[in-house]
Amino acid sequence: MAVSPEPAFRFRPSKRRVTMPGAGGPARHGSLLARGLLALLALGLVRGSQSSGLRFLPGDPITVLKRSQYRGERSSWREIPHDACPRFERFTVVALHALPADFAVDEPPGAGSDYKMAFSFLNEQFQTPWLTIADGRGHFLTHLIFTLEKAGDRVTDISWQTVYDVPNAAPPHVQIEYEFANASEEDPRTALTALFVGSLALAVLAAAIVVGDSVEYGAVFFGRAPGPPRRRGYDDA
């Protein structure tokens, strides 16, 4: 009686579990991560395009807000008078009433008698820290110089200088000077270069995640599920 010989090799299906795309496994998480990175990339590009500010014509007023801090209390933002605001590309000098009517010049040091103000330009796009107007020990802010850097018809940055004096009496006003200067050409180019490099790195990382999911879990981009394990030729022998 002839006995058919058994094959030397048998095909055994792989027991490795494969997570289908969209089933909550690594492919899905990787795709969500890629989408999140792309969303952050888009948000960064939008914020970068909005950081240059509003456009102005020569002589246009620039909105300035102020708030004060005195005796442990802080006021809300209030717009300064229109005639005390800077004018685009115009050197101006204005007098701003700073000290409150109830400011006590003779209070002892450390009694919370210092009076401070903060300024905000262009809808809080540029803000100063708290600037001391009077320290309660006879020092008063007499001059405040703002330098507004511009690039074309946009304001790109704001810096300031303070000048203090010890007058015989508290000055009723603070003299504010607004001057304009052309922004250096290197800073915008450096910022644009950094934005481009960062955006490119995020794009490459997101693409690598998506491609990695596609290779391991069966072409995620085209929605195809991974096929069965490929049989070797000698398994059929």
Side-chain angles (χ1 to χ4, degrees):
M1 180 177 62
V3 179
S4 59
E6 294 185 358
F9 300 94
R10 292 183 181 273
F11 171 74
R12 295 182 179 179
S14 173
K15 294 183 179 181
R16 188 182 67 173
R17 299 180 62 183
V18 179
T19 305
M20 300 292 291
R28 183 180 181 182
H29 297 323
S31 300
L32 290 177
L33 179 58
R35 294 175 185 175
L37 290 174
L38 293 177
L40 291 176
L41 171 62
L43 179 60
L45 293 176
V46 171
R47 290 181 62 88
S49 63
Q50 293 177 348
S51 61
S52 55
L54 304 175
R55 296 178 180 271
F56 296 94
L57 294 175
D60 285 349
I62 298 177
T63 303
V64 182
L65 305 177
K66 69 173 183 176
R67 62 176 178 172
S68 60
Q69 175 179 282
Y70 184 50
R71 291 179 176 174
E73 297 182 358
R74 295 181 178 180
S75 65
S76 58
W77 287 109
R78 298 189 305 270
E79 188 173 351
I80 68 173
H82 190 266
D83 56 357
C85 291
R87 303 279 176 168
F88 189 71
E89 292 186 345
R90 299 286 189 267
F91 173 79
T92 55
V93 179
V94 300
L96 181 66
H97 182 74
L99 293 177
D102 60 344
F103 180 77
V105 181
D106 299 330
E107 285 188 359
S113 57
D114 57 334
Y115 183 77
K116 299 181 179 182
M117 295 184 67
F119 297 86
S120 172
F121 293 77
L122 300 176
N123 299 323
E124 303 185 17
Q125 184 176 0
F126 303 101
Q127 293 186 18
T128 70
W130 289 107
L131 304 178
T132 301
I133 307 299
D135 63 356
R137 298 187 295 271
H139 297 84
F140 295 90
L141 178 67
T142 57
H143 293 77
L144 180 57
I145 305 171
F146 285 109
T147 301
L148 291 81
E149 294 187 6
K150 65 180 184 66
D153 54 1
R154 299 175 183 270
V155 176
T156 59
D157 197 8
I158 294 178
S159 59
W160 56 89
Q161 298 178 4
T162 55
V163 179
Y164 292 88
D165 198 359
V166 187
N168 296 327
H173 301 89
V174 174
Q175 180 174 305
I176 299 181
E177 298 181 10
Y178 300 108
E179 59 182 15
F180 287 82
N182 292 323
S184 60
E185 296 182 358
E186 296 180 358
D187 291 342
R189 292 177 180 176
T190 303
L192 290 176
T193 301
L195 178 62
F196 173 76
V197 172
S199 302
L200 182 61
L202 284 177
V204 171
L205 180 59
I209 293 175
V210 174
V211 171
D213 292 340
S214 301
V215 171
E216 185 175 358
Y217 297 101
V220 174
F221 280 122
F222 300 97
R224 293 198 300 266
R230 182 176 298 177
R231 298 181 62 179
R232 295 166 296 185
Y234 52 78
D235 287 336
D236 297 329

